[in-house]
Amino acid sequence: MSFELTFAARNVLLGAGLLGALGGTLGSFAFLRRQSLLGDALAHAALPGVCLGFLISGVKAPLPLFLGALVAGLLGALFILATIRLTRIKEDTAIGIVLSVFFGAGIVLLTHIQKLPTGNQSGLDRFLFGQAATLLPEDVARMSWLGAAVLVTVLLFYKELKLMSFDADFGASLGFPVRRLEVLLTLLLVVVVVVGLQTVGVVLIVATLITPAAAARQWTERLGRMIGLSAAIGAGAGLVGAYASATIPKLPTGPAIVLISSSVLVASLLFAPNRGILWAMLRERRLTRRIRRENLLKDLYRLCEDRDDWNLLLPAVLLMGVRGQSAPQLARSARPLIAGGELEERDGAWRLTPRGKAEAARVVRKHRLWELYLTRKLELASDHVHRDAEAMEHVLTDRAVAELEARLGFPETDPHGRPIPAAPDLAAVGGRP
């Protein structure tokens, strides 16, 4: 394995990096507009153009093949837009039609070319799976100036494209030329797709558009940051994939780039804050534990309230029957409450401390106010509101509860005639504010 790069390898690195940055930039708009398959359809639509470029020119020079792909891609894009506007066919169906029809035509032409005397030397099959090693300095130069034109266009129309990505109907109501902007964005996608065909091929080009954008979306809520991050992920995947292909024998460049960007996507799906799967599981686990602790406090409160004895020691076996929990489950919920000074344990039984009673009163207060709200405002039967209140008591904020209490006229009892606890002074008992 050699880590020294030749001039050709450095050329491939530069081209792959440029393609990744361009794909990440335009892919962000396609991803947000839920047009992930549009890039795939445009790539497949470009294939017959490549073949016709070869048949018309009779040579495998890059320029006629590039122009043929560009024209075919534009025709495919316009066909999709026209089908959506002029017929009742949905967008996904129009994309599927263009993808299959144009790709089928491309395969027929490719098969015909293979039978020609010069067909085997045409090298057109590299457009199916990409062959980055064939990138020449003039190819990279063409990618550079086309990419610069695409980026300048995005900067000039950034505000309009941003509005279209989130709410095209609202943009139309403000007087923005939404249809012309859709055509512009589609044309920009066509340019990027055609630029990338030689590097990653028809089959994998959609990955360079959508995968970096999907990964970037996991990390941010702002479009500008998403575009920048997506371009960086795309460029990084292109550079690393091309470098790996140049240094590891028989490793194709296009698939290597896709695997690198896919790895970033998987890591983003797992570890990104707010949207990552592991963080979501951690939040859900914390919420479940908090709900179990609050339910234990509430059960103790209600049992003491029923017996009118707030110093009562309640055995675990009695609490196990309230919600059908096992002794270990109850013990896991009780341990942090004992450590936090909200429960007192003695001989296997538990008792609410002043702080625990205040915390329990806050939960019970939310539960009974919500039950009253459902019966008064929504006119639900009092025996049908307990389950909803069981869920809401854990998510209502103190501010929302105060507003709810004011709207209900500061009631003293719930629909069942039980007293609604006053807002506890948690600070006085050392509880959470």
Side-chain angles (χ1 to χ4, degrees), residues 5-80:
L5 298 179
T6 62
F7 174 76
R10 290 194 294 270
N11 200 50
V12 172
L13 251 71
L14 183 57
L18 282 171
L19 174 63
L22 279 175
T25 302
L26 266 296
S28 297
F29 294 105
F31 177 82
L32 291 174
R33 300 191 71 224
R34 301 179 181 180
Q35 292 181 323
S36 299
L37 287 178
L38 180 59
D40 200 21
L42 298 179
H44 285 74
L47 183 59
V50 172
C51 298
L52 288 173
F54 174 79
L55 289 173
I56 294 172
S57 65
V59 296
K60 61 176 181 177
L63 185 58
L65 303 185
F66 174 82
L67 291 176
L70 186 63
V71 171
L74 290 174
L75 286 175
L78 294 175
F79 182 83
I80 292 173

Side-chain angles (χ1 to χ4, degrees), residues 131-144:
Q131 194 170 0
T134 62
L135 281 176
L136 301 172
E138 49 266 36
D139 297 323
V140 176
R142 186 173 60 252
M143 292 171 68
S144 300

Side-chain angles (χ1 to χ4, degrees), residues 328-398:
Q329 287 175 326
L330 272 179
R332 280 196 296 272
S333 301
R335 273 195 291 271
L337 295 173
I338 295 170
E342 291 161 325
L343 278 188
E344 177 186 344
E345 184 179 25
R346 184 179 299 175
D347 299 329
W350 295 317
R351 177 164 56 197
L352 287 172
T353 65
R355 183 189 300 180
K357 182 183 177 185
E359 290 286 353
R362 181 163 67 169
V363 181
V364 172
R365 171 179 161 80
K366 293 176 181 177
H367 183 102
R368 293 179 179 174
L369 279 172
W370 190 253
E371 282 190 334
L372 192 62
Y373 173 79
L374 293 178
T375 54
R376 282 192 186 177
K377 301 299 181 183
L378 301 184
E379 299 181 354
L380 297 178
S382 60
D383 57 347
H384 283 68
V385 294
H386 176 73
R387 182 173 296 178
D388 287 336
E390 280 282 304
M392 290 299 294
E393 68 192 21
H394 301 294
V395 296
L396 284 174
T397 64
D398 290 340

Side-chain angles (χ1 to χ4, degrees), residues 293-294 296-302 304 310 337-338 340-344 351-364 424-426 429-432:
R293 291 196 301 270
E294 290 181 350
L296 178 56
L297 288 175
K298 188 178 67 174
D299 294 342
L300 284 162
Y301 182 97
R302 295 180 63 177
C304 291
W310 296 101
L337 295 173
I338 295 170
E342 291 161 325
L343 278 188
E344 177 186 344
R351 177 164 56 197
L352 287 172
T353 65
R355 183 189 300 180
K357 182 183 177 185
E359 290 286 353
R362 181 163 67 169
V363 181
V364 172
D425 186 359
L426 295 174
V429 293
R432 292 186 294 269

